[in-house]
Amino acid sequence: MSTEPRKYKPGKIREHNSQKILEAAECEFVKHGYKGTSMQSIADAAELPKANVHYYFKSKAKLYNAVLGDILQRWNEVLADMSEEGDPAETLENYIRAKVDLSIRFPQASKIFATEIIQGAPNLKEHIRTDLRHWVRSKTKIIESWIDQGKMTPVDPEHLIFMIWSTTQHYADFETQVLTITNKLEYEQEDVKKISDFLCHMILTGCGLKPTTSLA
Amino acid sequence: MSTEPRKYKPGKIREHNSQKILEAAECEFVKHGYKGTSMQSIADAAELPKANVHYYFKSKAKLYNAVLGDILQRWNEVLADMSEEGDPAETLENYIRAKVDLSIRFPQASKIFATEIIQGAPNLKEHIRTDLRHWVRSKTKIIESWIDQGKMTPVDPEHLIFMIWSTTQHYADFETQVLTITNKLEYEQEDVKKISDFLCHMILTGCGLKPTTSLA
DNA sequence: GTCTATACAAGGATAGAC
DNA sequence: GTCTATCCTTGTATAGAC
């Protein structure tokens, strides 16, 4: 009877539940870290029995790695297409704005990534040593070529990248501190613009470049 | 017999053990977060029985708060004496160098502080809302007065402070990532100088100021 | 595919011997 | 003051009913 006219397609429920679990897990891992998070609390947040979480993700470690994978994927969408022929000011500004945007929109992702690295990157060390290092190498080469072409002030390209990462991600990771100090409940559109404009001004000026937007 | 000629003064052992526990706890809390750290692992790291840790610090929560207190105290040693009459370039440069120095020397303190804020600052919200906010207010006033005096470019003082915090603390919190990408095992003296020089150049230039040290 | 019931280990905390 | 033995809770994981 109830087996013939299915309300949902076979994989539909699975997909839906998996997604709910992943979102709940992301939220819990942010608040208590990997070891500090229990499968029970994830199940509660996902409104599913604990055994269900195990059924879908086998173990806590596998679930955590699934969450990390999701985050890295989102991260990789902002890979900044730089080229030696491109304009440094425009390229850097685009990258900074994209990173700020990502930090404001997905602070949780940034927070889990940060926690993972703070704790010594036990699950990401390989990714950093290979993928991320290569990405940085390719970008520093382009920045060096810009410098050789006299397009910008000679600054250390690696530290420039670290500066962009640290300043943009700060608004996600230290969200609580920033909002509390500025006496706000959440970021507004104008805050995002102000932050991006400020960071573009500071970083581009430091590189001897002229930001397209001036400060208020 | 053994009660008369004491080898150590009464409070001596207590002080020594407390210190050992605090150091061990700091180390464990960095690696696994508050909830993820067990009293057993702290006791093991301090080379004492578990019950001893409870004897000295009553509960895990109290021990964690003791660790946080220690960190805040160290933090407050770098309060940067700014004044409206002072020189912006010199003042900012001193502050940046002091912060980099602290990050390199005590990365663990920075990491615990970062983890605490990432998780929503459950134990530090009050401190941020009162002490830290007041500190920031007093500094922004001074920076604003520098701007009014035409001593520097008009940039948002709050975001300037956030930039100094984020860029300097990055070298502590994201130590693992920075070292892995730059293919190093640990920071060397010349790295510290390079980082400080770079940050001073970028931040001061962005403020329309001239760093005392030029880039290589 | 879903969930209840349960096995078994680990964690926080304390009583009480030394 | 120090530490062993123990209590009770919570955690991960799974077996087996539905």
Side-chain angles (χ1 to χ4, degrees):
Chain A
M1 254 186 200
S2 64
T3 32
E4 223 131 294
R6 286 268 195 98
K7 205 168 180 182
Y8 304 104
K9 270 194 288 184
K12 210 67 183 175
I13 298 175
R14 184 179 196 90
E15 200 185 319
H16 179 247
N17 281 350
S18 291
Q19 198 51 42
K20 262 177 68 173
I21 293 169
L22 280 171
E23 283 167 23
E26 192 175 291
C27 186
E28 293 303 306
F29 283 136
V30 166
K31 284 188 288 190
H32 307 113
Y34 172 67
K35 280 198 71 180
T37 298
S38 71
M39 295 296 263
Q40 185 66 65
S41 72
I42 293 172
D44 291 349
E47 290 172 303
L48 286 168
K50 187 169 63 158
N52 247 357
V53 181
H54 272 100
Y55 171 69
Y56 283 115
F57 290 93
K58 216 68 190 166
S59 73
K60 189 175 159 183
K62 291 215 172 90
L63 171 54
Y64 179 69
N65 275 293
V67 171
L68 271 187
D70 267 22
I71 291 172
L72 286 186
Q73 206 181 334
R74 211 176 281 156
W75 235 239
N76 283 333
E77 289 168 13
V78 190
L79 273 188
D81 45 346
M82 300 188 178
S83 79
E84 303 192 357
E85 297 78 32
D87 177 52
E90 199 188 330
T91 308
L92 288 179
E93 187 150 347
N94 281 342
Y95 184 53
I96 293 168
R97 287 183 192 279
K99 285 285 291 180
V100 170
D101 200 57
L102 209 67
S103 286
I104 305 291
R105 268 174 41 218
F106 306 106
Q108 311 233 64
S110 183
K111 285 177 183 180
I112 289 185
F113 189 80
T115 305
E116 170 70 17
I117 295 176
I118 286 173
Q119 298 185 355
N123 294 276
L124 285 179
K125 206 137 197 182
E126 269 314 287
H127 172 257
I128 295 173
R129 206 178 54 77
T130 56
D131 303 349
L132 199 55
R133 191 196 278 172
H134 291 143
W135 185 88
V136 170
R137 287 271 160 91
S138 78
K139 301 307 168 191
T140 53
K141 278 221 180 84
I142 292 170
I143 296 172
E144 273 162 13
S145 107
W146 287 341
I147 293 171
D148 290 343
Q149 296 172 60
K151 285 183 179 175
M152 57 177 279
T153 304
V155 297
D156 187 293
E158 272 179 341
H159 290 298
L160 176 58
I161 291 171
F162 294 151
M163 174 171 248
I164 296 174
W165 287 352
S166 61
T167 51
T168 56
Q169 287 167 203
H170 184 77
Y171 289 94
D173 305 339
F174 287 70
E175 195 184 15
T176 305
Q177 178 172 269
V178 171
L179 290 175
T180 306
I181 287 179
T182 57
N183 196 22
K184 294 212 159 202
L185 275 174
E186 55 182 354
Y187 295 119
E188 287 176 272
Q189 207 48 54
E190 57 176 274
D191 297 321
V192 181
K193 184 172 163 28
K194 202 169 167 184
I195 292 166
S196 303
D197 288 351
F198 171 81
L199 292 182
C200 287
H201 163 80
M202 294 292 291
I203 295 171
L204 268 69
T205 304
C207 293
L209 301 167
K210 221 179 122 44
T212 57
T213 13
S214 64
L215 286 179
Chain B
M1 253 185 201
S2 64
T3 33
E4 223 131 295
R6 288 266 195 100
K7 206 170 180 181
Y8 304 104
K9 268 192 289 181
K12 209 66 183 174
I13 297 175
R14 184 178 197 91
E15 200 187 320
H16 179 246
N17 281 351
S18 291
Q19 198 52 41
K20 261 176 70 173
I21 292 169
L22 280 170
E23 283 167 21
E26 192 175 292
C27 186
E28 292 303 306
F29 283 135
V30 166
K31 283 188 290 189
H32 306 114
Y34 172 68
K35 279 198 72 178
T37 298
S38 70
M39 295 296 264
Q40 184 66 62
S41 72
I42 293 172
D44 291 350
E47 290 173 303
L48 286 168
K50 185 168 63 156
N52 246 355
V53 181
H54 273 100
Y55 172 69
Y56 283 116
F57 289 94
K58 213 70 188 164
S59 74
K60 190 175 158 183
K62 291 215 173 91
L63 171 55
Y64 179 68
N65 274 293
V67 171
L68 272 187
D70 267 21
I71 291 172
L72 285 187
Q73 206 182 332
R74 211 177 280 157
W75 233 240
N76 283 333
E77 289 168 13
V78 190
L79 273 188
D81 45 344
M82 300 189 179
S83 77
E84 303 192 357
E85 298 77 34
D87 177 53
E90 198 187 330
T91 308
L92 289 178
E93 186 151 347
N94 280 343
Y95 184 53
I96 293 166
R97 287 183 191 281
K99 285 285 290 178
V100 170
D101 199 57
L102 209 67
S103 285
I104 305 292
R105 269 172 40 217
F106 306 106
Q108 310 234 64
S110 183
K111 285 178 183 180
I112 289 185
F113 189 79
T115 304
E116 170 70 18
I117 294 176
I118 287 173
Q119 297 185 353
N123 294 276
L124 285 179
K125 209 142 197 177
E126 270 314 287
H127 171 257
I128 295 173
R129 205 177 55 76
T130 56
D131 304 349
L132 199 56
R133 191 196 279 171
H134 291 144
W135 185 88
V136 170
R137 288 271 161 92
S138 78
K139 301 308 169 191
T140 54
K141 277 219 182 91
I142 293 170
I143 296 172
E144 273 162 14
S145 107
W146 286 342
I147 292 172
D148 290 342
Q149 296 172 60
K151 284 183 177 174
M152 58 177 278
T153 302
V155 297
D156 187 291
E158 272 179 341
H159 290 298
L160 176 57
I161 291 172
F162 294 152
M163 174 172 248
I164 295 175
W165 286 353
S166 61
T167 52
T168 55
Q169 286 167 204
H170 184 79
Y171 290 94
D173 304 339
F174 287 70
E175 194 183 16
T176 306
Q177 179 172 269
V178 170
L179 291 174
T180 306
I181 286 178
T182 57
N183 197 23
K184 295 214 157 199
L185 276 174
E186 54 182 355
Y187 296 119
E188 287 175 274
Q189 206 50 51
E190 58 177 273
D191 297 320
V192 181
K193 181 169 165 32
K194 204 170 166 184
I195 292 166
S196 303
D197 287 352
F198 171 81
L199 292 182
C200 286
H201 163 79
M202 295 293 289
I203 295 171
L204 269 68
T205 305
C207 294
L209 301 168
K210 222 178 124 42
T212 57
T213 11
S214 64
L215 287 177

